[in-house]
């Protein structure tokens, strides 16, 4: 069985300790590949190499245009090898093969977008209105960037960081989730083959708890960009404080999906289903908190329950499968504990909630689950389950203003602020709600789409960074002011 190696100082290498980790296919729990398990010494070697390349290597001497061309070639490779890369993604995550391949298309679009940005992103000239002075703002790379990724969209989350970080001229140390190393490992090969300086890319595989602190505490790492859970994000922010490095955090969400009675009901219900159950709810922006107008609650919830019960779970490559398993046994236990607690606190399981038996029993499957009778004091409406679990709350009011105010209060009653949606046929209400909801992305009459030119990121404890769009590039740039006096003269302040 193949072992994926680390990429350090221009070479694929085993871990110094020789340790390896077995990677499971979550649909049946079988080991399908092995990966080197990096330790602290590997992390230090990766930092030293990335530092050396940044300080004295060739990568920072390349131009934006040259780096953009490399990103374009990477995008073309991804498109050409989409089926195989999609297969790797499905094997590591258990997601359906259709989703695995669709992810690769999205990844390619991110590389293409930042390839285009090579020509769009200039500095700016400042007009100081002083004779002989030229003043300009230039964009420079931040330095050595540690990029730490989660397991739900391994290559996609990597691309949101890797493409802008490389375009800006940084050197990078990638650390995918220990559960899903394959596609980031393959991307490393593609990056090098398509022209990225070998020292500009380092790859660490394995436990974040082991190598993470080495990266986040090192004075030789200038920035950490992290996508993952809130608890890990907090600890990364704290450990990065000692060196005041730049920290960009993309964390979890408990995302409200608000449906008013005047919405297009067919579209709202269908998208509510996709919003929460796509990829078995393991999506940071999953519409996990349904907030529905009281008068249509029964209609909406009955239909959702009926359709949720019919979602076809199964292995990635099986015909007709609509969603896969959860990532691991441990993660399924967490989701089950979340549902148990919800029941203890008074929620009622309307559908799902039981681990499937029969042919799915070997994998880490958990069925689409809907919790009714949820109230705002329950943990389930505030905490992220990161599984296929939908909570239902209602709002009402005697007037339109009251209804909106009530819906809004519930939608904003969360310590997260990643994403949300509002469903209504009233354009004014849609705009008012979208502006007042404190979440980084708001969909009006839709759920889940995103595009590479539009920023993505969270408010409140969903994080402090923005990925994609021009801001996603700015995350990886230092802004420098250069003041040039072409007519130097004594300042004349001190007279003696
Ligand atoms: P996680 O926090 O457990 O792990 C994320 C990464 O951090 C992994 O690579 C892990 O190895 C590493 N890590 C763990 N401990 C570390 C430490 N002490 N220092 C440095 N790195 C460490 O998260 P996960 O379970 O992989 O991902 C699920 C979470 O990610 C969910 O909360 C989800 O909402 C969030 N997420 C957010 C976004 C977004 O765009 N905001 C996107 C995808 C996922």
């Amino acid at each position: 069985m193949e072992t994926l190696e680390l990429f350090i100082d221009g070479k694929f290498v085993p871990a110094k300790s020789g340790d390896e980790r077995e990677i499971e296919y979550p649909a049946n729990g079988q080991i399908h590949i092995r990966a080197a398990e990096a330790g602290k010494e590997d992390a230090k070697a990766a930092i030293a190499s990335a530092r050396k390349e940044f300080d004295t290597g060739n990568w920072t001497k390349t131009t934006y245009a040259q780096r953009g061309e490399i990103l374009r070639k990477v995008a073309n490779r991804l498109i050409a090898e989409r089926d195989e890369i999609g297969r790797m993604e499905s094997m590591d995550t258990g997601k359906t093969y259709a989703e695995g391949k669709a992810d690769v298309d999205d990844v390619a679009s991110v590389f293409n977008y930042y390839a285009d940005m090579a020509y769009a992103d200039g500095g700016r000239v400042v007009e100081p209105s002083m004779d002989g002075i030229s003043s300009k703002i230039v964009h420079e790379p931040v330095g050595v960037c540690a990029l730490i990724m989660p397991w739900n969209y391994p290559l996609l989350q990597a691309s949101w960081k890797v493409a802008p970080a490389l375009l800006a001229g940084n050197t990078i140390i990638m650390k995918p989730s220990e559960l899903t190393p394959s596609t980031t490992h393959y991307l490393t090969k593609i990056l090098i083959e398509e022209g990225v300086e070998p020292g500009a890319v380092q790859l660490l595989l394995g436990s974040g708890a082991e190598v993470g602190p080495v990266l986040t505490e090192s004075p030789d790492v200038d920035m950490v960009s992290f996508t993952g859970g809130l608890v890990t994000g907090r600890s990364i922010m704290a450990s990065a404080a000692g060196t005041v490095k730049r920290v960009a955090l993309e964390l979890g969400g408990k995302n409200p999906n608000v449906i008013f009675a005047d919405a297009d009901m067919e579209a709202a219900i269908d998208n509510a289903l996709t919003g929460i159950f796509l990829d078995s709810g393991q999506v940071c922006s999953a519409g996990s908190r349904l907030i529905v107008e009281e008068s249509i609650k029964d209609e909406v919830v009955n239909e959702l329950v009926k359709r949720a019960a019919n979602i076809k779970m199964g292995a990635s490559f099986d015909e007709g499968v609509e969603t896969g398993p959860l990532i691991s046994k441990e993660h399924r236990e967490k989701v089950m504990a979340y549902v148990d607690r919800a029941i203890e606190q008074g929620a009622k399981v309307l559908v799902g909630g039981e681990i499937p038996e029969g042919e799915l029993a070997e994998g880490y499957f958990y069925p689409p689950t809907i919790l009714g009778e949820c109230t705002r004091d329950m943990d389930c409406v505030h905490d992220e389950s990161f599984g296929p679990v939908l909570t239902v709350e209602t709002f009402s009011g005697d007037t339109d203003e009251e209804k909106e105010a009530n819906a809004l209060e519930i939608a904003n009653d969360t310590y997260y602020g990643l994403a949300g949606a509002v469903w209504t046929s009233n354009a004014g209400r849609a705009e008012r709600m979208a502006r007042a909801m404190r979440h980084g992305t708001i969909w009006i009459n839709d759920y889940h789409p995103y595009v590479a030119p539009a920023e993505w990121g969270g408010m409140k404890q969903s994080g402090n960074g923005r990925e994609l769009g021009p801001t996603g590039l700015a995350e990886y740039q230092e802004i420098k002011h250069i003041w040039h006096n072409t007519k130097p003269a004594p300042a004349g302040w001190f007279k003696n």
Side-chain angles (χ1 to χ4, degrees):
M1 186 178 288
E2 190 192 352
T3 299
L4 306 175
E5 292 187 314
L6 317 177
F7 190 75
I8 297 177
D9 204 19
K11 292 181 290 292
F12 280 101
V13 290
K16 283 191 201 298
S17 64
D19 288 351
E20 293 184 359
R21 177 186 290 262
E22 296 174 326
I23 309 298
E24 290 178 323
Y25 175 43
N28 62 13
Q30 304 282 307
I31 312 304
H32 75 95
I33 202 159
R34 301 173 67 84
E37 179 77 10
K40 292 189 169 45
E41 293 309 312
D42 301 300
K44 286 180 192 162
I47 294 170
S49 175
R51 187 77 255 164
K52 185 165 94 214
E53 178 65 35
F54 187 81
D55 292 341
T56 59
N58 292 324
W59 182 241
T60 46
K61 300 188 183 85
T62 55
T63 62
Y64 264 73
Q66 287 168 327
R67 296 192 295 265
E69 280 312 306
I70 293 173
L71 296 189
R72 180 89 60 212
K73 288 192 209 159
V74 171
N76 292 340
R77 279 284 298 277
L78 291 163
I79 292 164
E81 298 182 47
R82 168 183 188 261
D83 291 358
E84 175 54 15
I85 300 170
R87 187 197 64 79
M88 290 179 201
E89 201 73 306
S90 290
M91 288 303 294
D92 277 5
T93 61
K95 62 177 66 182
T96 64
Y97 188 35
E99 283 178 82
K101 287 186 286 189
D103 285 0
V104 184
D105 293 336
D106 284 355
V107 173
S109 80
V110 173
F111 276 94
N112 271 325
Y113 171 72
Y114 282 111
D116 292 343
M117 284 287 281
Y119 298 95
D121 181 69
R124 93 179 183 269
V125 173
V126 177
E127 181 45 77
S129 300
M130 292 163 83
D131 188 31
I133 300 297
S134 118
S135 163
K136 61 187 175 188
I137 302 299
V138 295
H139 295 169
E140 296 189 352
V142 175
V144 175
C145 299
L147 313 178
I148 305 176
M149 279 80 67
W151 46 258
N152 62 335
Y153 287 87
L155 193 60
L156 187 66
Q157 296 299 336
S159 73
W160 292 11
K161 301 180 192 304
V162 170
L166 289 179
L167 179 65
N170 298 282
T171 60
I172 62 172
I173 303 170
M174 298 185 286
K175 216 304 277 171
S177 165
E178 52 273 44
L179 304 175
T180 54
S182 300
T183 49
T184 315
H185 180 271
Y186 197 69
L187 177 67
T188 308
K189 283 190 187 174
I190 294 181
L191 292 173
I192 303 306
E193 284 166 14
E194 298 307 334
V196 179
E197 281 292 328
V201 176
Q202 319 281 330
L203 175 71
L204 295 171
L205 304 175
S207 156
E210 174 71 16
V211 299
V214 181
L215 299 173
T216 53
E217 288 168 17
S218 169
D220 286 329
V221 173
D222 301 289
M223 172 173 177
V224 179
S225 175
F226 169 76
T227 303
L230 175 56
V231 174
T232 319
R234 283 184 186 137
S235 88
I236 285 176
M237 198 168 192
S239 80
T243 50
V244 197
K245 55 174 59 72
R246 191 181 288 201
V247 178
L249 300 176
E250 308 292 335
L251 309 176
K254 180 73 192 177
N255 310 292
N257 185 12
V258 181
I259 306 184
F260 283 89
D262 63 3
D264 174 329
M265 225 25 79
E266 190 189 348
I269 292 172
D270 187 76
N271 281 279
L273 208 67
T274 318
I276 177 61
F277 296 128
L278 181 78
D279 203 8
S280 291
Q282 301 170 114
V283 184
C284 52
S285 52
S288 54
R289 191 176 184 195
L290 184 70
I291 301 168
V292 59
E293 192 166 337
E294 180 67 47
S295 61
I296 53 161
K297 182 194 117 188
D298 288 344
E299 177 191 351
V300 171
V301 173
N302 291 344
E303 185 65 12
L304 284 174
V305 166
K306 194 173 89 198
R307 291 189 60 186
N310 288 329
I311 290 177
K312 186 158 166 38
M313 287 186 290
S316 314
F317 305 94
D318 289 355
E319 202 59 37
V321 165
E322 294 174 316
T323 195
L326 300 187
I327 187 73
S328 66
K329 191 160 182 279
E330 292 71 30
H331 184 53
R332 184 169 68 176
E333 274 158 16
K334 279 193 207 158
V335 173
M336 284 159 56
Y338 166 97
V339 172
D340 286 348
R341 180 147 179 76
I343 295 167
E344 258 168 50
Q345 293 185 340
K348 190 164 165 240
V349 176
L350 303 177
V351 65
E354 298 283 336
I355 295 181
E357 292 172 353
E359 57 180 20
L360 298 183
E362 283 179 357
Y364 308 126
F365 290 92
Y366 191 81
T369 297
I370 300 181
L371 298 175
E373 292 174 33
C374 298
T375 53
R376 276 163 70 190
D377 53 330
M378 294 179 185
D379 294 336
C380 63
V381 305
H382 300 291
D383 297 342
E384 183 189 47
S385 79
F386 215 51
V389 186
L390 180 69
T391 57
V392 181
E393 294 160 90
T394 58
F395 65 92
S396 56
D398 292 335
T399 62
D400 276 0
E401 288 71 28
E402 263 181 40
K403 282 181 201 164
E404 279 177 34
N406 189 210
L408 192 59
E409 199 197 337
I410 302 172
N412 282 342
D413 181 18
T414 163
Y415 51 90
Y416 286 118
L418 187 59
V422 57
W423 291 85
T424 173
S425 55
N426 177 330
R429 164 180 288 165
E431 285 296 326
R432 283 191 296 279
M433 289 292 293
R435 293 301 293 260
M437 286 168 73
R438 296 282 297 157
H439 302 269
T441 294
I442 298 294
W443 293 285
I444 298 174
N445 296 333
D446 214 334
Y447 210 99
H448 271 330
Y450 82 94
V451 285
E455 275 79 355
W456 178 269
M459 298 182 181
K460 300 196 261 181
Q461 294 189 44
S462 286
N464 59 5
R466 286 292 178 277
E467 300 198 294
L468 302 177
T471 319
L473 177 59
E475 294 263 22
Y476 295 96
Q477 292 172 322
E478 287 287 8
I479 305 293
K480 181 184 282 178
H481 176 206
I482 299 178
W483 174 277
H484 184 177
N485 191 340
T486 61
K487 293 184 178 172
W493 184 267
F494 298 107
K495 305 301 175 204
N496 297 310

